[in-house]
Amino acid sequence: MTLLAAFQVLLFRYSRQEDILVGTPIANRNYPEIEHLIGVFINTLVIRTDLTGNPTFREVLRRVRNVALAAYAHQDLPFERLVAELKPQRDLSRTPLFQAMFNLQRSILPTVKMPRLTVRPLPLNRGTSQFDLTFILVEQDGCLDGSVEYNCDLFETDTIVSISAAYQRLLEHAVARRDVPISQLRVLSEIERQHVITEVNQTTRDYPRARCMHELFEAQTERTPDNVAVIDERTSLTYGELDRRSSGLAMRLRQCAVGPEVFVGIYMHRSVEMVIGLLGILKAGGAYVPINPTDPPDRVTFMLTDASVRVLLTCRGVEPPRTDAVVVCVDGDAEFPNGEETDGTTRTKVTPDNAAYVIYTSGSTGRPKGVLVSHRALTNFLWSMAERPGCAQGEVLLAVTSLSFDIAALELYLPLIVGGTVVVASEEITRDPQQLGQALIDHNVDTMQATPASWRMMLAAGWQGKPGLKVLCGGDTLPRDLADQLLTRVGALWHLYGPTETTVWSAVCKMEQGDAVTIGTPIANTQLYVLDDYLHPVPTGVRGELYIGGDGLARGYLNRDDLTAEKFVSNPFTSSPNDTDRVFRTGDQARYLPDGRIELLGRLDDQVKIQGFRIEPGEVEATLIQHPLVREAVVLAREDTSTDLRLVAYFVPTQGPAPTTSDLRDFLKTILPAYMVPARFVPLEQMPLTPNGKIDRRALPVPEPTRPALSDAFVAPRNPLEQRLCSMYAQVLGIDQIGIHDNFFDLGGGSLQILEIIVHAQEAELMLTPQLFFEYQTVATLAATLNTRRTELLDSPSGS
């Protein structure tokens, strides 16, 4: 019972499951009448132990004893009969009821002695494993000897050796400290513990921890004042010009009482002026709050109010939102000083501990949450990135990421602290992979950063790559096939990982052909830990939660002390004054590989990433339930309806007719950004429930390939061009019927679907661009535009 209890605790520590079922054989010779019969009467018992509540080992032993005695009392019941009565869901890949076996053998064959003959036992390898894992212990001469039988498809030999050593270590510790909680029992050796805690986290590096990002830019300006710093489709600025204009804006902002811990909204199109605005805010000592002009008014108002934004930066062509903040137009305010009379604005009393920016991310409560990042965290990040993956003077980086996505910080700032050039791609170019590919050539770009979805869009559009290009890929899981495709087309591929709460990227990995996709190693002054539910490091190969510590940690969530305390917890491994006293709970599942690298294994919660954007389905659900005709709602991400991951909303309507897809999309678009609006809406009479009354998400149906309920009635194609477009839409969107007045986005279309249609259109000699889908969102309007362009081409002097 002691040995079995330790084995079950071992499974608990490795699997993080508290309901442990283990099979064990029993001789089943408990009647005198069969004592001398030849044959096998062995039966299998299932010992089920409840390990909830983190009990002590003494308590676990008591529970195991009670269950074991009860099992022995019913040992006559055949295991096959038990399975027949319980009727568990059968799966050919595993045995029913249990997958781990524990066998203690006490009856050992007597030593055979024969004249002139030596007899020794011979281990028998049957070539197959009956169960996923079997521990066999033999008690003989006061010692325990053992062997392990395992499924080679599930376990490596090194893993089994590690598990066996962990079992012995746990058993010794349990006997010596039987009154401590089982979560405290040791499974790692001291060498293994030091490796995963200390050795892989030896990342201490010097960096200008007393300086802010804008001060690094000013220092670079002194070295290379005439080098080109930033370019957009209209203009370019040298370092000296960018420094003077941003310093002049900083002086104007200080006149508006901008200083440390004052939040300034930036509500602008992608342009050189956007970079001037960012630097001007930082030089003034303030912290910027990026707000996307395409976000719904309610969301914009919430962010402006939540951050107490005092000043809002805009530019010409952007209508500012309704706000009480002072609105400053970066490219239209003639009162700006030229900045020449300042000495770089270093007189501003901003410290590295002050806020540099606030980035809003999706929140499970139904409202976005602001992540507050300090200057020190930003400086450490940029200094580390300059070293690895690396960026040097003269290099050109193409910036394509929305400012409201935190990874834009690398694109806009990294080149500016080393003497490189930032090329700011316009919104139109960022949506068109063909134009992106051309921009890489036109500007002789050295580095581009994008999400896996964006790189896949480039490849789908026929991009052949660029030799020597340094590709930075992060924001979502990097698929192996995508990595292989990129590696054959570019100079280098770097996989990057990190949540917003730890300042952009926390780990980097240079990918090679055939490599496992991991997050690599931590950046400078950053620590990565894979821990169990009790903040203990897990063994190699065991699933745990990834925690991040170091100088990159955000200060927390703006105005959310409760959430900050929940997610930023005390560092259990602080051993010196230089260690950070907090770690961030990422919610990402991960495991250590034998070489020390870390592999991600999905989320612990419902959070998903779509095209790099972090989405809490709970926020979408909370918003959808506000619709007066929706009683219940569940939102999840599915990829069984398309080639990419898309949100699907299931809802139960209130009494009366169900709202149409068009109604629901229009409602959500007034509150949520476009990337959070589900692609499909599925009405249900009631939600499927589990036996304990919770919504059974696994039982939610795959959306049917039928045309959704839209506000416009179905109208069939009227001519061959409309017929051809409807056919392509139906094939790509997986919908059996498309009307000419159906809105492409109401049908669930997105960026990847646009590219697929463009590829099909090229085969049919139709020239489409992504921009056309946004301008003409129905087949009827798109076909009319194509006809008009064709007529104009034929009527032109060179037409034929």
Side-chain angles (χ1 to χ4, degrees):
M1 292 175 186
T2 302
L3 296 172
L4 175 60
F7 182 64
Q8 291 187 311
V9 171
L10 181 75
L11 296 178
F12 156 75
R13 294 290 295 274
Y14 270 75
S15 68
R16 302 175 71 185
Q17 296 181 23
E18 297 176 326
D19 186 10
I20 303 294
L21 291 84
V22 171
T24 186
I26 191 163
N28 205 25
R29 288 177 174 268
N30 52 335
Y31 295 104
E33 293 81 2
I34 62 175
E35 182 67 23
H36 300 288
L37 292 179
I38 297 175
V40 177
F41 294 86
I42 294 174
N43 189 27
T44 301
L45 302 178
V46 183
I47 308 297
R48 183 177 187 176
T49 304
D50 176 14
L51 298 182
T52 57
N54 193 24
T56 65
F57 187 77
R58 185 192 297 273
E59 170 61 19
V60 171
L61 187 56
R62 185 190 67 80
R63 296 179 188 182
V64 170
R65 180 179 185 275
N66 291 340
V67 173
L69 290 177
Y72 299 154
H74 299 86
Q75 62 182 285
D76 291 339
L77 179 70
F79 176 74
E80 294 76 10
R81 175 71 182 276
L82 179 65
V83 174
E85 290 292 331
L86 293 178
K87 296 181 176 63
Q89 185 175 356
R90 303 303 293 268
D91 186 337
L92 292 178
S93 68
R94 59 178 183 265
T95 56
L97 302 186
F98 71 92
Q99 289 81 49
M101 170 70 81
F102 185 84
N103 184 4
L104 173 64
Q105 297 180 359
R106 292 176 177 272
S107 300
I108 306 302
L109 291 175
T111 303
V112 178
K113 295 182 178 180
M114 301 178 68
R116 294 180 297 172
L117 187 64
T118 300
V119 180
R120 60 183 174 84
L122 197 64
L124 178 64
N125 185 350
R126 292 177 295 187
T128 185
S129 175
Q130 288 181 291
F131 306 97
D132 291 349
L133 183 67
T134 301
F135 265 44
I136 304 170
L137 297 181
V138 179
E139 185 178 1
Q140 189 174 17
D141 299 330
C143 296
L144 286 170
D145 199 3
S147 61
V148 181
E149 184 178 283
Y150 60 94
N151 185 338
C152 295
D153 291 336
L154 297 179
F155 299 101
E156 301 284 351
T157 301
D158 290 344
T159 303
I160 294 299
V161 171
S162 175
I163 290 175
S164 302
Y167 176 66
Q168 182 174 341
R169 198 174 300 115
L170 186 148
L171 190 57
E172 292 171 347
H173 205 216
V175 171
R177 302 182 62 189
R178 50 193 175 273
D179 289 316
V180 304
I182 56 176
S183 65
Q184 305 294 325
L185 297 178
R186 186 180 305 150
V187 293
L188 289 181
S189 68
E190 191 58 33
I191 293 176
E192 291 172 318
R193 180 180 171 85
Q194 287 302 314
H195 175 69
V196 299
I197 294 176
T198 305
E199 292 179 14
V200 299
N201 288 315
Q202 294 286 351
T203 61
T204 302
R205 300 285 188 280
D206 287 333
Y207 71 98
R209 61 177 62 240
R211 304 180 75 179
C212 301
M213 195 290 298
H214 59 278
E215 294 172 326
L216 300 179
F217 163 71
E218 291 163 358
Q220 183 61 45
T221 298
E222 293 180 3
R223 294 189 290 268
T224 57
D226 298 323
N227 285 14
V228 176
V230 59
I231 301 172
D232 65 14
E233 59 186 349
R234 297 178 296 103
T235 187
S236 66
L237 294 178
T238 66
Y239 273 80
E241 292 167 336
L242 179 59
D243 185 48
R244 285 190 293 273
R245 291 189 59 178
S246 57
S247 294
L249 174 61
M251 295 173 65
R252 173 72 172 89
L253 292 176
R254 284 199 298 273
Q255 293 172 2
C256 298
V258 173
E261 304 303 315
V262 173
F263 299 114
V264 180
I266 183 161
Y267 189 82
M268 302 174 64
H269 290 317
R270 301 177 56 78
S271 61
V272 163
E273 285 74 24
M274 180 182 74
V275 180
I276 294 171
L278 293 169
L279 287 172
I281 295 169
L282 296 176
K283 287 185 174 193
Y288 65 87
V289 182
I291 301 172
N292 196 327
T294 62
D295 279 352
D298 284 356
R299 193 177 185 87
V300 172
T301 299
F302 171 81
M303 291 187 284
L304 292 174
T305 304
D306 187 61
S308 301
V309 168
R310 298 186 189 178
V311 179
L312 182 68
L313 294 189
T314 64
C315 60
R316 282 194 292 251
V318 176
E319 182 69 25
R322 299 179 62 180
T323 177
D324 294 331
V326 176
V327 177
V328 175
C329 186
V330 173
D331 56 355
D333 195 328
E335 299 179 3
F336 285 175
N338 61 23
E340 294 176 352
E341 298 179 0
T342 71
D343 58 353
T345 70
T346 53
R347 298 173 185 171
T348 301
K349 295 180 180 179
V350 60
T351 71
D353 293 324
N354 286 130
Y357 63 79
V358 174
I359 293 281
Y360 278 87
T361 67
S362 181
S364 58
T365 60
R367 284 294 189 180
K369 54 184 182 290
V371 180
L372 190 61
V373 175
S374 70
H375 281 274
R376 177 173 289 117
L378 181 58
T379 297
N380 176 71
F381 163 70
L382 294 172
W383 205 255
S384 179
M385 291 293 104
E387 177 182 342
R388 187 169 179 266
C391 188
Q393 182 173 321
E395 290 191 15
V396 179
L397 191 150
L398 181 62
V400 301
T401 307
S402 167
L403 192 57
S404 57
F405 193 0
D406 69 324
I407 71 174
L410 179 146
E411 300 173 1
L412 299 175
Y413 303 144
L414 180 57
L416 296 181
I417 69 169
V418 298
T421 301
V422 179
V423 179
V424 182
S426 66
E427 281 88 351
E428 180 180 351
I429 291 177
T430 61
R431 288 199 297 257
D432 190 336
Q434 292 181 334
Q435 291 191 58
L436 269 180
Q438 189 60 44
L440 291 172
I441 298 172
D442 293 343
H443 297 284
N444 195 22
V445 172
D446 299 291
T447 304
M448 177 174 149
Q449 171 187 254
T451 63
S454 296
W455 288 115
R456 197 176 286 283
M457 285 172 55
M458 297 265 296
L459 295 173
W463 182 61
Q464 297 301 309
K466 183 178 185 295
L469 179 68
K470 184 188 300 179
V471 165
L472 308 183
C473 187
D476 205 347
T477 303
L478 172 62
R480 177 72 260 175
D481 69 308
L482 176 60
D484 290 338
Q485 292 179 67
L486 289 172
L487 283 168
T488 63
R489 290 170 168 83
V490 301
L493 170 62
W494 290 81
H495 184 213
L496 312 175
Y497 165 82
T500 303
E501 290 85 347
T502 60
T503 312
V504 192
W505 305 130
S506 301
V508 298
C509 177
K510 187 176 183 181
M511 298 295 299
E512 303 290 349
Q513 286 284 2
D515 273 1
V517 178
T518 71
I519 63 174
T521 55
I523 70 169
N525 306 299
T526 299
Q527 297 83 45
L528 305 179
Y529 307 105
V530 183
L531 308 178
D532 62 19
D533 295 338
Y534 303 96
L535 300 185
H536 298 300
V538 298
T540 298
V542 173
R543 187 181 299 254
E545 182 176 0
L546 182 61
Y547 288 70
I548 301 177
D551 289 4
L553 260 64
R555 281 171 32 184
Y557 297 105
L558 184 65
N559 304 324
R560 295 292 302 276
D561 292 343
D562 55 338
L563 188 59
T564 299
E566 176 187 340
K567 293 293 187 179
F568 293 84
V569 299
S570 296
N571 187 343
F573 310 115
T574 301
S575 59
S576 72
N578 294 328
D579 291 339
T580 55
D581 59 357
R582 300 181 306 153
V583 289
F584 174 69
R585 303 183 57 175
T586 66
D588 288 322
Q589 296 185 86
R591 65 175 178 178
Y592 293 110
L593 298 182
D595 60 5
R597 292 182 298 169
I598 294 175
E599 179 185 23
L600 293 183
L601 301 170
R603 292 289 301 175
L604 286 165
D605 53 21
D606 297 328
Q607 184 188 108
V608 296
K609 280 194 174 181
I610 296 181
Q611 297 188 14
F613 288 101
R614 194 163 85 180
I615 299 173
E616 296 279 2
E619 180 176 357
V620 186
E621 293 170 1
T623 306
L624 186 56
I625 205 73
Q626 296 175 29
H627 192 284
L629 298 181
V630 174
R631 190 176 77 227
E632 293 180 80
V634 172
V635 175
L636 50 81
R638 307 194 72 121
E639 55 185 353
D640 49 16
T641 60
S642 179
T643 56
D644 63 317
L645 196 66
R646 295 196 286 173
L647 289 181
V648 177
Y650 298 86
F651 68 97
V652 177
T654 57
Q655 292 182 349
T660 66
T661 292
S662 302
D663 292 337
L664 296 177
R665 282 186 60 85
D666 290 344
F667 173 76
L668 291 179
K669 285 192 296 186
T670 64
I671 305 173
L672 300 175
Y675 65 85
M676 292 181 67
V677 177
R680 299 292 297 271
F681 294 85
V682 180
L684 301 173
E685 292 184 1
Q686 60 182 19
M687 292 291 179
L689 301 178
T690 62
N692 59 7
K694 295 183 178 180
I695 293 177
D696 188 353
R697 293 174 180 263
R698 294 184 178 181
L700 292 168
V702 176
E704 296 289 336
T706 56
R707 178 177 179 268
L710 302 175
S711 55
D712 291 318
F714 173 76
V715 177
R718 299 164 299 187
N719 55 59
L721 178 57
E722 290 181 346
Q723 177 62 52
R724 190 177 302 173
L725 289 173
C726 284
S727 178
M728 288 188 289
Y729 278 35
Q731 180 180 350
V732 171
L733 297 175
I735 297 175
D736 54 14
Q737 192 180 55
I738 304 291
I740 63 171
H741 298 307
D742 297 346
N743 185 288
F744 174 77
F745 298 100
D746 284 352
L747 294 169
S751 299
L752 287 178
Q753 289 73 41
I754 288 174
L755 288 180
E756 289 186 59
I757 293 173
I758 288 176
V759 171
H760 288 297
Q762 288 173 343
E763 296 172 355
E765 299 183 350
L766 291 175
M767 301 309 296
L768 300 177
T769 66
Q771 190 65 24
L772 287 174
F773 285 83
F774 291 94
E775 294 178 2
Y776 309 102
Q777 298 184 8
T778 67
V779 167
T781 56
L782 181 58
T785 299
L786 293 177
N787 276 325
T788 300
R789 292 188 175 186
R790 182 182 300 173
T791 301
E792 292 174 350
L793 179 62
L794 293 174
D795 290 342
S796 66
S798 59
S800 61

